[in-house]
Amino acid sequence: MIPSVRELTEPEASTTEVAPVLTRVREHAAPLELTARALGMGLLIGGLLAVTNVYMGLKTGWWESGSVTAAVLGFSALATVSRKRGSAYTPLENNLTQTAAASVGAMPAAAGLLGALPALTLLGTSVPAWGVAVWSVALGVLGVLAAHLLRRRLVAQEALPFPTGIATAELITAMHASTGTEVRAGRGRLLAGAGAAAVVVTAVRDAFKWLPGMTAMPGTLGGVPAASLTWGVGWSPMLLAIGMMTGPRLGLSMLAGAAVAWGVLSPWLASTGLLADPGYESLSAWLTWPGVGLMVGSAMASLLAQARDFLGAARDLGNLRKGETVPAWAFGVGLGACVLAVALGSMLFGLSVPYMLLALVLVLPLCAVCARGAGQVDVSPVTQMGQVTQVIFGGLLPGAVAPNVAAGAVVSGAAAQTGVSMWSLKAGHLLGASPRRLLAAQLVGVLAGSVVGVPVYLLLTRTQGLGSEALPAPFAHQFRAVAEVAVRGLDGLPPQAALAACVAVGVGALLTFASRGRVARWLPLPVALGIGFILPAYYAVTICVGALGLAAARWRWPAAAERNVSTLAAGAIAGESLAGVLFAALMALGFM
């Protein structure tokens, strides 16, 4: 559905060796694992992640699993207190904390709050809040169970690297092997300081209005004021932090996309008179098509390149053995989730029972593709799987746009939870955790995430306006565009937008194929290019500033930057997100 920061940067698989240290932890750690304190802390941290992911996802299209951050926060909060009370906080408890937190944090993506649901809203289809919450539980449960069905083959037998899982296990091992003083004093203070600074900046910007959302660029582009084309630098700690987390390649790719869209095409559209009203909304509606074209072209090329993953997924499904993968009661839970999904698909989205069953049949094999991608290169191709489903249903249900979006949401929602679950299962496997206890924690996390995400989504969309400059929801446009093209063809697009979209599809595919060669490091990321088309230009500028600032810090202070950048960025993102949601609540209550 919506790519995480990891999905867009596409890091190579890690080969970090952790077994010797992890063996030592397993020999001496206490057997505590599924405890009230570990689960409760995981749900609390996961709730913060869910709020952050809704806010960040609707603004930029990105979200994070937060496994590493949750491990650090859990250790910082519980290690000292537990030791003073005579019951040490164990590595297995810490792993369960981050597992539950990641499960809660993934629920906004699993529920479709970042793509499918806003796409339906933009198409004029409203879905009640209770329906979204229950729907998200069904999809989240299916995603978690798919991960556990695949765990034995991918994690235990093939031992795929799952780099995020390895990194999480490494961090937990390192923290518990030492006194943890440096972690608490260093990372804890840095996280809190960055969060507090982000809250202050957000308050000054949104509550007191002493800062603008953007410092506009002076001058004109093609006779059009640069400020009206959204050129400038945003006062946003979150955007700077995203640039720090993703790095220069993604930041420059986004800036290149914005330069073409808002620096070349927008002035051209304004000067030629193709659009009756060349304001921001009209320009954004036109630019959405080439932006989505870039992302769809990249997705198509990725699917072709991942043909072997589909074959591997087929072998994975052929090797499933019921009794050795999940407990018997989990199959009852899965059956209940399927019944809920079928009922809600018909009631809320107009998907008849046979078509909803077809969507559910596609869940496990396409989740297997995502799981294998997460294991091999740390990239879970959630968006591509959703688009495959949309194309299939476009042929089966011509003219039915809302059911098309809903069908894509079934697969991509479950796949989002599968990818996150696989990273947690890899960390648990290395640490010697119980898969059944991790399954219980993840299912509880699914329930908690459905309760947290939906109210935050409704609050933000009602106060800031879905699809506005403040809340662009870029991947909602992708869901809507793919659905419209799949069921209606290219009719009804704005003038020349169809041609621009077709050219962009070709460019996105070529860049994706070329990025697998030696020149990859010099080529822009097509998905980031597409997002640069869809978001206001100052988003790309601000993210690029953060990315280049990180590059400068790594050149000047390499060790400190490597050690602290993820903590600093996580604090800034969480601070602005939580403050933004708080101010939205005050606005909704009439206090602002």
Side-chain angles (χ1 to χ4, degrees):
M1 182 184 292
I2 309 303
S4 68
V5 171
R6 181 177 302 104
E7 223 177 309
L8 288 175
T9 52
E10 298 185 0
E12 296 182 357
S14 172
T15 57
T16 306
E17 179 62 48
V18 295
V21 181
L22 295 174
T23 301
R24 186 171 63 251
V25 171
R26 285 200 297 270
E27 289 173 357
H28 298 286
L32 294 178
E33 184 173 1
L34 181 55
T35 61
R37 65 187 181 186
L39 182 60
M41 182 56 63
L43 297 180
L44 176 61
I45 297 171
L48 298 178
L49 285 173
V51 171
T52 298
N53 283 337
V54 173
Y55 185 88
M56 183 168 62
L58 288 174
K59 282 187 173 289
T60 68
W62 291 313
W63 59 279
E64 251 306 308
S65 68
S67 298
V68 171
T69 301
V72 172
L73 290 176
F75 182 85
S76 300
L78 294 179
T80 301
V81 174
S82 300
R83 189 162 48 248
K84 289 181 178 179
R85 292 183 176 180
S87 177
Y89 180 60
T90 70
L92 294 182
E93 285 182 292
N94 197 345
N95 180 65
L96 189 129
T97 294
Q98 68 84 16
T99 297
S103 179
V104 177
M107 283 307 292
L113 300 179
L114 313 182
L117 186 63
L120 289 170
T121 301
L122 294 174
L123 289 167
T125 300
S126 61
V127 184
W130 68 265
V132 178
V134 179
W135 171 259
S136 69
V137 170
L139 298 186
V141 167
L142 292 176
V144 168
L145 293 179
H148 280 264
L149 285 170
L150 297 164
R151 178 195 64 82
R152 181 175 176 272
R153 177 168 175 82
L154 300 184
V155 175
Q157 292 180 346
E158 293 191 27
L160 296 182
F162 292 99
T164 292
I166 289 179
T168 304
E170 266 194 317
L171 177 64
I172 291 173
T173 301
M175 288 190 297
H176 287 267
S178 66
T179 61
T181 303
E182 317 88 56
V183 174
R184 291 192 300 275
R187 290 191 174 184
R189 281 201 298 264
L190 184 61
L191 187 75
V199 168
V200 171
V201 173
T202 307
V204 171
R205 184 192 68 204
D206 292 348
F208 299 105
K209 306 295 183 182
W210 294 343
L211 284 176
M214 159 188 94
T215 298
M217 180 186 297
T220 62
L221 294 171
V224 182
S228 67
L229 297 176
T230 68
W231 281 103
V233 180
W235 288 90
S236 171
M238 180 189 70
L239 295 180
L240 290 171
I242 289 174
M244 293 168 58
M245 293 181 70
T246 56
R249 187 183 176 198
L250 186 140
L252 291 171
S253 298
M254 275 194 67
L255 187 60
V260 174
W262 298 99
V264 177
L265 292 177
S266 291
W268 173 75
L269 289 168
S271 64
T272 56
L274 283 176
L275 301 179
D277 176 25
Y280 170 79
E281 291 185 1
S282 298
L283 290 172
S284 179
W286 194 95
L287 293 170
T288 292
W289 291 99
V292 169
L294 284 163
M295 292 187 280
V296 170
S298 176
M300 292 169 56
S302 296
L303 288 175
L304 291 175
Q306 290 171 332
R308 287 181 298 179
D309 285 351
F310 283 91
L311 297 176
R315 290 194 297 269
D316 297 339
L317 299 181
N319 280 272
L320 294 180
R321 297 179 183 178
K322 178 178 176 181
E324 299 180 7
T325 50
V326 297
W329 59 263
F331 286 93
V333 174
L335 179 61
C338 289
V339 171
L340 271 180
V342 169
L344 292 174
S346 175
M347 185 187 311
L348 302 177
F349 307 111
L351 269 173
S352 62
V353 172
Y355 287 113
M356 191 63 208
L357 290 174
L358 174 60
L360 292 176
V361 167
L362 293 173
V363 165
L364 188 55
L366 295 184
C367 282
V369 176
C370 289
R372 186 164 284 277
Q376 291 172 337
V377 294
D378 222 27
V379 177
S380 182
V382 173
T383 304
Q384 291 92 324
M385 298 305 103
Q387 289 175 352
V388 167
T389 309
Q390 285 186 272
V391 171
I392 292 172
F393 275 78
L396 295 174
L397 294 171
V401 178
N404 182 279
V405 174
V410 172
V411 171
S412 59
Q417 190 63 260
T418 296
V420 170
S421 298
M422 293 305 300
W423 287 314
S424 295
L425 291 175
K426 177 66 174 184
H429 178 72
L430 293 173
L431 292 165
S434 164
R436 296 194 176 200
R437 290 170 182 168
L438 296 183
L439 172 61
Q442 287 169 327
L443 293 177
V444 173
V446 166
L447 294 174
S450 66
V451 174
V452 174
V454 175
V456 173
Y457 169 82
L458 295 174
L459 183 64
L460 289 173
T461 54
R462 290 174 181 175
T463 56
Q464 299 191 17
L466 185 64
S468 66
E469 185 178 334
L471 210 65
F475 279 88
H477 298 289
Q478 183 178 5
F479 258 93
R480 182 181 67 172
V482 172
E484 290 180 342
V485 171
V487 302
R488 297 175 183 168
L490 298 176
D491 297 335
L493 272 64
Q496 305 298 322
L499 176 60
C502 291
V503 171
V505 168
V507 172
L510 287 174
L511 286 173
T512 301
F513 283 128
S515 67
R516 298 179 178 273
R518 295 182 178 180
V519 296
R521 57 184 298 186
W522 305 107
L523 294 176
L525 294 163
V527 174
L529 279 174
I531 294 176
F533 272 70
I534 297 172
L535 295 178
Y538 73 88
Y539 279 59
V541 173
T542 311
I543 288 173
C544 193
V545 168
L548 295 179
L550 170 64
R554 281 180 171 166
W555 175 76
R556 182 64 179 84
W557 306 285
E562 187 67 26
R563 184 174 60 252
N564 297 322
V565 64
S566 60
T567 304
L568 181 64
I573 291 172
E576 178 170 344
S577 301
L578 295 174
V581 172
L582 173 62
F583 297 143
L586 294 176
M587 189 183 303
L589 294 173
F591 293 108
M592 291 178 60

